[in-house]
Amino acid sequence: MTEYQDLTHDDVAAAAAHVVAAFSRTDTATYFASFSADATFVFHTENRRLERRSEYEALWQSWLAEGWQVTECLSSNPSIQLLGDTAVFCHDVTTTFNTGETTVERETIVFHRSDDGSILAVHEHLSPLPNSPEAR
């Protein structure tokens, strides 16, 4: 039987802040190091679920090749649900890109403490915030 340490509110808040900060800097290496290799992703802007981190990394690289960059990412209205070695983090996120476009979305990230003690995201789901331009 594998022993694990339950996640705490502070653990999850710090892991989420780390992901958001890396995304806000378009820091590719740090951002993707925050996700497990088998993480899954559901984005309302994509026509299919991304089944592995490598699929999202390839999509991200295509965006970078087009000149895409995040210039600001603000997290608000956080919620953390602790489930032992796993936790669900949900927040509202306002992101501005170098194109001048700003999105207002709701994001859920599932974090898990692995056997080695690291805390990695294993799933991310992004959807438009109701009443935002993306939801129309």
Side-chain angles (χ1 to χ4, degrees):
M1 184 167 124
T2 302
E3 285 291 318
Y4 65 85
Q5 180 182 1
D6 286 350
L7 289 171
T8 67
H9 186 277
D10 288 347
D11 290 336
V12 178
H18 183 76
V19 169
V20 171
F23 184 81
S24 70
R25 296 186 311 269
T26 319
D27 181 344
T28 302
T30 301
Y31 179 68
F32 283 105
S34 301
F35 292 90
S36 68
D38 61 351
T40 56
F41 304 86
V42 176
F43 302 137
H44 66 97
T45 56
E46 297 302 313
N47 62 4
R48 65 181 181 86
R49 181 178 53 239
L50 305 174
E51 299 291 349
R52 299 197 54 77
R53 181 184 68 205
S54 60
E55 291 181 41
Y56 182 19
E57 287 177 291
L59 181 61
W60 177 283
Q61 289 301 327
S62 74
W63 297 337
L64 291 176
E66 295 171 357
W68 173 90
Q69 185 176 352
V70 178
T71 57
E72 183 176 48
C73 185
L74 302 173
S75 172
S76 63
N77 196 25
S79 170
I80 295 173
Q81 181 182 9
L82 299 173
L83 305 163
D85 64 349
T86 302
V88 178
F89 172 79
C90 187
H91 66 146
D92 299 338
V93 61
T94 303
T95 307
T96 303
F97 303 94
N98 59 329
T99 61
E101 175 189 14
T102 298
T103 59
V104 182
E105 297 160 309
R106 181 173 292 143
E107 180 177 50
T108 300
I109 303 173
V110 178
F111 290 98
H112 178 74
R113 185 185 302 277
S114 65
D115 291 341
D116 70 4
S118 62
I119 300 169
L120 295 175
V122 296
H123 179 75
E124 179 181 353
H125 186 119
L126 191 63
S127 58
L129 196 63
N131 300 318
S132 68
E134 297 85 19
R136 294 186 192 133

